[in-house]
Amino acid sequence: MNGKKYIIGNWKSNKILSDVRSWFTKFNSLYKSDNKISLDNLEIVICPPFIYLPEADNLIKKFNLPISLGVQDISPFPQGAYTGEVGASQIADFAKFVLVGHSERRSNFGETDKLLFAKVDQADKNGLQVVYCVADNQTLIPQSVTMVAYEPVWAIGTGKTESGENAGKVADSIRGNLKTLKIIYGGSVNSKNITDFLTGNRLDGVLPGGASLDAGSFWEMIVNASRI
Ligand code: 13P
């Protein structure tokens, strides 16, 4: 757990194209104007809606930003006759990470363990790093998963958070004997509370939603995390 800390911004179904361009332009100017910051201990990831992956990829390359891309979902099928789906091989052209089993997908789209396991299988076959989202320490986790996001439903978008201490305890119980399993926390993470989650080495990172939507507040989280 002494490796890099992950800061994974989940934009959910937010932003239109012009917002995406403004976000990266603002992030770039914040990043370029701070020449003292060291990001060596961080892995920074943004998960935009699928449709903005190519544009986000172009902007990251154009500005040479230390950001990797992730997606918020993945098809449980390979590419083919599955109308409306985006397959792992298509995602792999742009993104390294994929969120699977977010509570908003479980509750709004009825995603079951069986479906989620098929999604993980597709991600694995195409070399994508799965971030498997669970609401508690009782949720089934596919065996191949190496990174879990603990996101208590009551903390998502509510401004209420677990304490770093409690999140660390839940992380330990999810990890059990699997010492190498990375666990990140999500649920109302912001620039003020991020330090609480990242100190003490029980968590490997955070998964902010709302606080990742503004490049300024996302940058503040990065700055605070870089000082730990
Ligand atoms: P908020 O940070 O807006 O609570 O969202 C958390 C989340 O669901 C990230 O996946």
Side-chain angles (χ1 to χ4, degrees), residues 187-218:
S188 297
V189 174
N190 59 36
S191 60
K192 296 210 165 52
N193 60 30
I194 190 169
T195 312
D196 188 31
F197 295 111
L198 296 186
T199 41
N201 266 334
R202 288 170 103 174
L203 293 162
D204 297 283
V206 288
L207 180 54
S212 71
L213 293 176
D214 175 69
S217 64
F218 193 65

Side-chain angles (χ1 to χ4, degrees), residues 27 71 74 81 89 91 103 121-123 128 143 151 172 178 189 194 198 206 224-225 227:
F27 186 94
V71 290
I74 187 171
S89 58
I91 292 165
S103 65
D121 191 43
Q122 283 302 313
L128 294 165
Q143 235 174 6
E151 296 205 296
D172 287 345
L178 295 169
V189 174
I194 190 169
L198 296 186
V206 288
N224 292 342
R227 294 189 177 131

Side-chain angles (χ1 to χ4, degrees), residues 39-213:
L39 303 180
D40 292 348
N41 63 336
L42 301 178
E43 170 89 38
I44 302 164
V45 183
I46 284 291
C47 304
F50 282 126
I51 192 171
Y52 301 128
L53 281 176
E55 182 68 4
D57 188 41
N58 283 337
L59 291 164
I60 288 168
K61 286 181 178 136
K62 175 177 152 192
F63 294 133
N64 196 18
L65 298 176
I67 297 179
S68 302
L69 287 173
V71 290
Q72 304 165 20
D73 187 29
I74 187 171
S75 174
F77 300 107
Q79 61 170 283
Y82 301 101
T83 301
E85 287 296 277
V86 183
S89 58
Q90 299 161 325
I91 292 165
D93 276 341
F94 300 99
K96 268 171 48 180
F97 295 85
V98 54
L99 307 181
V100 178
H102 193 282
S103 65
E104 287 155 12
R105 296 215 55 90
R106 292 178 194 257
S107 64
N108 294 320
F109 303 97
E111 297 199 346
T112 60
D113 290 337
K114 185 163 174 250
L115 183 81
L116 298 175
F117 278 45
K119 292 184 177 205
V120 168
D121 191 43
Q122 283 302 313
D124 289 346
K125 285 186 174 132
N126 289 276
L128 294 165
Q129 163 78 61
V130 170
V131 181
Y132 200 77
C133 304
V134 303
D136 51 39
N137 59 5
Q138 301 302 309
T139 313
L140 272 183
I141 299 172
Q143 235 174 6
S144 67
V145 163
T146 57
M147 191 186 302
V148 166
Y150 164 50
E151 296 205 296
V153 174
W154 54 263
I156 295 178
T158 58
K160 296 182 195 145
T161 60
E162 273 285 24
S163 63
E165 174 68 19
N166 255 341
K169 277 188 192 151
V170 177
D172 287 345
S173 72
I174 293 171
R175 208 178 268 118
N177 293 326
L178 295 169
K179 298 290 174 219
T180 56
L181 188 64
K182 291 188 190 333
I183 312 231
I184 65 175
Y185 168 81
S188 297
V189 174
N190 59 36
S191 60
K192 296 210 165 52
N193 60 30
I194 190 169
T195 312
D196 188 31
F197 295 111
L198 296 186
T199 41
N201 266 334
R202 288 170 103 174
L203 293 162
D204 297 283
V206 288
L207 180 54
S212 71
L213 293 176

